[in-house]
C-alpha cells in the first residue's frame, strides 16, 4: 500500500498563520508567532520569552534541538515519501509554492502563477536574486532541470509517479517557466506546492549526471534559510544559517538546528524533561496532559489531515451488501474510541477526508446505534453476524484501535480476530491481496486537497497494487465525477463534483469511518516560532530560542 499522500485558482498570496489550540489553557492569553507557512505554536504571555520589535534584529546564539520520530530516509526532497524526512528537509529547501496552515498553496520561489482556462498549463513568474547554498543562481533552467530529473525513470526517484501528470517543462526566459500537463489537471497547483517539488541546485544535479556515485541523498543544496552542515548516522542532522538567504525578514534566528532521531516516544519525553531537546514530535496522548501541566513546556494540538478507517475487501461476498457495511459503521462508537484510546485527542470522521483538506464536504455521521446495526445485518441475511480477520500495524496505537473496534463489532455478532504486522509487511499484503479481509488504515493527502484525498482510495483505476484501493471499491458515478472534477478549471464546479463524490462514498460505506486524530507537539517555553502543518510537518525555519 502506498503511503502518503487543491485545486485553487486565483488564490491570494497573503499568508495566514493561526495559533494551535492548547491542550491546557495558559493562565493568560497566548501571543502567537507568525511565519510564512504553517500554524504557529505560541509562547504564552507568562513565558520568559522577550518580544522584539519589527526593527530589532536579534540573532540568538543558541542551537535548537528537535527530536524526531526516526532517522530521515534521505535529504533529497524528490526522493522521500515519509513526513519525518520532510520535517528535516524543510529548513534547507523551498519550492515554487508552499502551503499555509490551511494547506492553501502560495508563492515562494515564484512570485506569481497563471493556470490556463483548460487546466493544461501553468506558467510561473520566478523570483529574482535567489541563490542556492552553493552560490549558484535560481532560474527557469533550474526548475526545468529539477522536474526533468525526477521524471527520468533512469534516476529512480521515489517521487517520480507523483509528478507523472507533467508532459513537458518549457523555459520561456530566465524568469518564466511553463509546466504542461498530459491532460487537464486542476490539482497541479497543489502538487507543485508539496515539499517534493522543492528545488535542488543545478550544480548538484550536474555533479550527479557527471558522477553517478555522487549521493544527492546526503548532499542537500537548496535555497532555504538554513544550509546543510552534517549528517551523523543515527545521531543527528545539523543545519546552520545561510548568510545569503533571499528573504531577510524570514532569515534564520538560531545558531544552528539539530534534528535527533529518537524512535521511542518515552525517550523523547525524557529528553524534553532533561533539557536534551527543545521540541518533540508525535507526543503520545497519554503524556500530553502531564507535559502540559508543567510550566516549562507548551503542548499544542490541532486537527491533522489523517483519517483512520476500517477498510474492507469488497470482493468478499459478506461485504457486498451495502447494509452490512452501513451496519458496521453504526456498530462502532467513535466517541468511545476517541475517548478511550486517544484520550480525547481527535474528532469523528464525517467524510472520507479530514476537515482541513481543501474541498472537504461534511457528511451526516453514522451515529452509534447497535440496535440499528443488528437490524441491518438481519435484513442482509446475517442475523448471526460473521467471522472476520482485522489486520493492523504492530504499533501500540494501531493495535489499541484495532482491539477497540473488534470489541465493538463483536457486540453485534461480527467476530473480528486482530492480527498485527510490521507496517511494510502489512502494505505488501494489502497491495497483493494476500488474504485481505478487514484492516485498520490511515490516509493523509500530502497535497492537502480533495482529489488526492479520494482518488487513490476509491477510483476504480486505483485498485491495488497500483494504488491504495485495496478494498476494490468501484462506483461508476464516483469515477465519472472524479474524472470530470480534475479536468474542470472552474473551482466552484469542481468543488460541487467533489462534494457529491464524498456524499456517495460516505453512503456506500466502503470503509468504517473512524476518526481524525489531533497532532500533538511539545516544546520548551523559551523557544518560539515553531510551526506545525496539518500534514504533520514541523517547521522551525524562523524558530528562536531565548
Amino acid at each position: 500500500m502506498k503511503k502518503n499522500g487543491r485545486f485553487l485558482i486565483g488564490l491570494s498570496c497573503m499568508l495566514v498563520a493561526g495559533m494551535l489550540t492548547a491542550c491546557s489553557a495558559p493562565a493568560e492569553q497566548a501571543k502567537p508567532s507568525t511565519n510564512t507557512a504553517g500554524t504557529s505554536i505560541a509562547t504564552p504571555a507568562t513565558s520568559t520569552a522577550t518580544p522584539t520589535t519589527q526593527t530589532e534584529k536579534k540573532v540568538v546564539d543558541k542551537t535548537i534541538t528537535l527530536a524526531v520520530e526516526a532517522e530521515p530516509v534521505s535529504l533529497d526532497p524528490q526522493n522521500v515519501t515519509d513526513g519525518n524526512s520532510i520535517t528535516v528537509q524543510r529548513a534547507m529547501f523551498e519550492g515554487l509554492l508552499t502551503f499555509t496552515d490551511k494547506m492553501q498553496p502560495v508563492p515562494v520561489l515564484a512570485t506569481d502563477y497563471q493556470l490556463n482556462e483548460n487546466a493544461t498549463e501553468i506558467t510561473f513568474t520566478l523570483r529574482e536574486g535567489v541563490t542556492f547554498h552553493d552560490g549558484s543562481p535560481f532560474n527557469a533552467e533550474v526548475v526545468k532541470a529539477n522536474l526533468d530529473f525526477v521524471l527520468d525513470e533512469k534516476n529512480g526517484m521515489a517521487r517520480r509517479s507523483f509528478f507523472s501528470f507533467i508532459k513537458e517543462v518549457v523555459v520561456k526566459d530566465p524568469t518564466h517557466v511553463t509546466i504542461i500537463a498530459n491532460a487537464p489537471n486542476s490539482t497541479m497547483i497543489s502538487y507543485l506546492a508539496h515539499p517534493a517539488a522543492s528545488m535542488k541546485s543545478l550544480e548538484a544535479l550536474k555533479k550527479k549526471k557527471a558522477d553517478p556515485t555522487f549521493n544527492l541523498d546526503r548532499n542537500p543544496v537548496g535555497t532555504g534559510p538554513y544550509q546543510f552542515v552534517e549528517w551523523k548516522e543515527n545521531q543527528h542532522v545539523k543545519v546552520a544559517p545561510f548568510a545569503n538567504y533571499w528573504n531577510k525578514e524570514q532569515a534564520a534566528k538560531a545558531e544552528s538546528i539539530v534534528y535527533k532521531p529518537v524512535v521511542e516516544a518515552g525517550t523523547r519525553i525524557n529528553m524534553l524533561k532533561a533539557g536534551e531537546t527543545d521540541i518533540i514530535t508525535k507526543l503520545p496522548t497519554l503524556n500530553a496532559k502531564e507535559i502540559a501541566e508543567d510550566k516549562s513546556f507548551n503542548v499544542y494540538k490541532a486537527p491533522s489531515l489523517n483519517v483512520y478507517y476500517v477498510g474492507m475487501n469488497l470482493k468478499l461476498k459478506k461485504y457486498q451488501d451495502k447494509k452490512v457495511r452501513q451496519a458496521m459503521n453504526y456498530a462502532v462508537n467513535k466517541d468511545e474510541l476517541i475517548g478511550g484510546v486517544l484520550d480525547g485527542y481527535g474528532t469523528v470522521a464525517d467524510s472520507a477526508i479530514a476537515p482541513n483538506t481543501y474541498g472537504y464536504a461534511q457528511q451526516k455521521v453514522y451515529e452509534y446505534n447497535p440496535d440499528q446495526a443488528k437490524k441491518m445485518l438481519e435484513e442482509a441475511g446475517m442475523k448471526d453476524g460473521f467471522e472476520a480477520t482485522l489486520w493492523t500495524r504492530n504499533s501500540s496505537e494501531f493495535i489499541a484501535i484495532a482491539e477497540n473496534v473488534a470489541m465493538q463489532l463483536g457486540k453485534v455478532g461480527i467476530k473480528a480476530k486482530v492480527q498485527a504486522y510490521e507496517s511494510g509487511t502489512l502494505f505488501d499484503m494489502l497491495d497483493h491481496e494476500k488474504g485481505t479481509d478487514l484492516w485498520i488504515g490511515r490516509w493523509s493527502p500530502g497535497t492537502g486537497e480533495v482529489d488526492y484525498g479520494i482518488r487513490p482510495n476509491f477510483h476504480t483505476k486505483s485498485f491495488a497494487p497500483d494504488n491504495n484501493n485495496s478494498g476494490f471499491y468501484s462506483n461508476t458515478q464516483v469515477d465519472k465525477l472524479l474524472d470530470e472534477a480534475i479536468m474542470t478549471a472552474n473551482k466552484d464546479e469542481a468543488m460541487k463534483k467533489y462534494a457529491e463524490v464524498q456524499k456517495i462514498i460516505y453512503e456506500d460505506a466502503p470503509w468504517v469511518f473512524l476518526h481524525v486524530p489531533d497532532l500533538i507537539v511539545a516544546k520548551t517555553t523559551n523557544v518560539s516560532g515553531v510551526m506545525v502543518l496539518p500534514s504533520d510537518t514541523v517547521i522551525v525555519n524562523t524558530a528562536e530560542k531565548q
Side-chain angles (χ1 to χ4, degrees):
M1 174 177 280
K2 285 74 190 167
K3 282 67 77 183
N4 301 343
R6 169 173 336 282
F7 157 78
L8 207 57
I9 298 175
L11 179 70
S12 166
C13 296
M14 180 69 70
L15 289 167
V16 181
M19 181 177 66
L20 293 183
T21 305
C23 294
S24 63
E28 300 179 29
Q29 182 67 35
K31 300 175 182 178
S33 333
T34 57
N35 200 305
T36 55
T39 298
S40 68
I41 294 184
T43 300
T46 52
S47 161
T48 57
T50 303
T52 59
T53 65
Q54 287 185 332
T55 57
E56 185 179 354
K57 300 294 183 180
K58 182 176 181 180
V59 177
V60 177
D61 188 25
K62 291 184 179 180
T63 291
I64 293 176
T65 302
L66 172 59
V68 293
E69 194 177 26
E71 186 90 354
V73 175
S74 163
L75 297 183
D76 183 340
Q78 297 165 7
N79 204 30
V80 296
T81 59
D82 69 298
N84 184 73
S85 294
I86 292 172
T87 287
V88 177
Q89 296 166 4
R90 284 303 293 265
M92 294 181 282
F93 287 98
E94 297 170 314
L96 300 174
L97 308 170
T98 192
F99 290 126
T100 69
D101 62 312
K102 303 302 183 185
M103 296 304 290
Q104 297 171 333
V106 291
V108 180
L109 295 182
T111 58
D112 190 23
Y113 58 87
Q114 296 292 327
L115 186 68
N116 70 351
E117 292 184 359
N118 298 323
T120 56
E121 297 183 4
I122 181 169
T123 298
F124 289 94
T125 301
L126 306 183
R127 189 176 300 279
E128 298 183 63
V130 177
T131 59
F132 284 91
H133 300 153
D134 59 8
S136 62
F138 167 74
N139 52 39
E141 289 291 348
V142 172
V143 176
K144 176 175 173 57
N146 270 267
L147 295 175
D148 286 350
F149 186 86
V150 72
L151 285 167
D152 190 338
E153 189 173 3
K154 298 194 303 292
N155 295 321
M157 303 298 284
R159 285 291 186 177
R160 179 175 177 270
S161 63
F162 188 81
F163 295 101
S164 60
F165 67 88
I166 297 176
K167 178 182 179 181
E168 186 181 7
V169 182
V170 178
V171 173
K172 302 291 188 179
D173 59 51
T175 58
H176 293 87
V177 62
T178 297
I179 296 171
I180 303 172
N182 292 304
N185 188 323
S186 58
T187 68
M188 282 191 289
I189 296 171
S190 291
Y191 278 68
L192 293 166
H194 191 279
S198 296
M199 295 290 118
K200 302 194 291 269
S201 159
L202 181 58
E203 295 305 309
L205 291 174
K206 288 179 179 179
K207 286 181 181 179
K208 180 65 175 178
K209 290 180 180 179
D211 179 10
T213 64
F214 180 71
N215 194 345
L216 288 172
D217 295 329
R218 296 283 182 147
N219 293 278
V221 185
T223 62
Y226 287 86
Q227 60 185 339
F228 179 66
V229 175
E230 63 182 4
W231 180 354
K232 290 189 176 181
E233 197 82 28
N234 297 316
Q235 294 184 47
H236 66 252
V237 173
K238 183 177 182 179
V239 298
F242 175 46
N244 294 323
Y245 182 52
W246 62 270
N247 189 345
K248 301 306 179 185
E249 292 183 358
Q250 300 294 327
K253 295 180 174 64
E255 182 184 62
S256 62
I257 297 173
V258 173
Y259 302 87
K260 290 186 177 181
V262 184
V263 176
E264 293 296 329
T267 304
R268 293 199 297 276
I269 292 169
N270 290 336
M271 289 174 64
L272 183 70
K273 291 178 177 178
E276 296 173 9
T277 185
D278 302 297
I279 308 161
I280 61 172
T281 63
K282 294 182 173 60
L283 178 65
T285 57
L286 281 172
N287 303 99
K289 292 179 181 178
E290 171 203 350
I291 298 297
E293 289 172 356
D294 190 325
K295 294 182 179 180
S296 299
F297 310 117
N298 302 142
V299 175
Y300 291 86
K301 71 180 181 69
S304 69
L305 292 182
N306 287 311
V307 173
Y308 279 73
Y309 62 91
V310 179
M312 55 190 88
N313 184 356
L314 301 191
K315 286 185 177 181
L316 301 180
K317 185 177 180 180
K318 57 187 173 183
Y319 303 122
Q320 289 175 0
D321 190 327
K322 181 166 68 175
K323 289 184 177 180
V324 173
R325 305 193 300 268
Q326 291 178 334
M328 294 171 68
N329 274 277
Y330 284 119
V332 178
N333 187 333
K334 292 87 173 180
D335 289 319
E336 178 186 302
L337 172 65
I338 293 167
V341 177
L342 304 182
D343 301 294
Y345 292 101
T347 56
V348 175
D350 54 9
S351 176
I353 55 177
N356 275 346
T357 305
Y358 182 78
Y360 154 84
Q362 184 179 23
Q363 306 302 312
K364 184 175 175 16
V365 170
Y366 290 95
E367 299 291 349
Y368 177 57
N369 191 333
D371 291 335
Q372 176 70 9
K374 290 176 182 178
K375 179 183 177 182
M376 297 185 79
L377 286 172
E378 184 175 355
E379 291 174 354
M382 292 189 176
K383 179 180 179 180
D384 298 325
F386 54 88
E387 294 184 352
T389 301
L390 177 59
W391 289 347
T392 186
R393 304 185 202 185
N394 62 354
S395 73
S396 57
E397 177 194 14
F398 272 85
I399 291 173
I401 292 170
E403 290 177 343
N404 184 282
V405 168
M407 178 270 294
Q408 298 201 55
L409 290 176
K411 292 179 180 180
V412 299
I414 299 173
K415 297 170 280 294
K417 180 181 179 182
V418 175
Q419 294 182 350
Y421 298 92
E422 185 275 328
S423 59
T425 300
L426 178 61
F427 296 147
D428 180 69
M429 292 165 65
L430 289 169
D431 279 348
H432 299 96
E433 201 184 353
K434 296 179 180 178
T436 304
D437 187 348
L438 300 175
W439 73 96
I440 301 294
R442 180 180 67 189
W443 178 252
S444 171
T447 59
E449 48 77 39
V450 58
D451 194 86
Y452 196 54
I454 292 178
R455 185 180 299 272
N457 296 299
F458 301 107
H459 198 289
T460 303
K461 291 183 179 179
S462 296
F463 281 179
D466 295 328
N467 221 309
N468 274 49
N469 192 349
S470 296
F472 304 99
Y473 171 75
S474 180
N475 183 308
T476 55
Q477 183 66 3
V478 167
D479 293 346
K480 180 174 181 290
L481 287 167
L482 283 174
D483 293 342
E484 289 176 351
I486 200 172
M487 297 174 69
T488 303
N490 183 288
K491 178 182 67 174
D492 293 334
E493 289 182 15
M495 289 302 106
K496 288 179 183 178
K497 294 179 187 295
Y498 284 124
E500 182 63 22
V501 165
Q502 290 171 74
K503 180 180 178 182
I504 294 170
I505 291 172
Y506 208 78
E507 182 181 343
D508 272 354
W511 288 355
V512 177
F513 304 95
L514 297 179
H515 63 276
V516 176
D518 288 333
L519 301 175
I520 310 178
V521 175
K523 70 173 184 65
T524 55
T525 55
N526 64 335
V527 172
S528 61
V530 180
M531 317 301 294
V532 183
L533 292 181
S535 57
D536 206 7
T537 301
V538 179
I539 302 175
V540 289
N541 294 22
T542 58
E544 186 171 4
K545 190 173 183 179
Q546 300 289 347

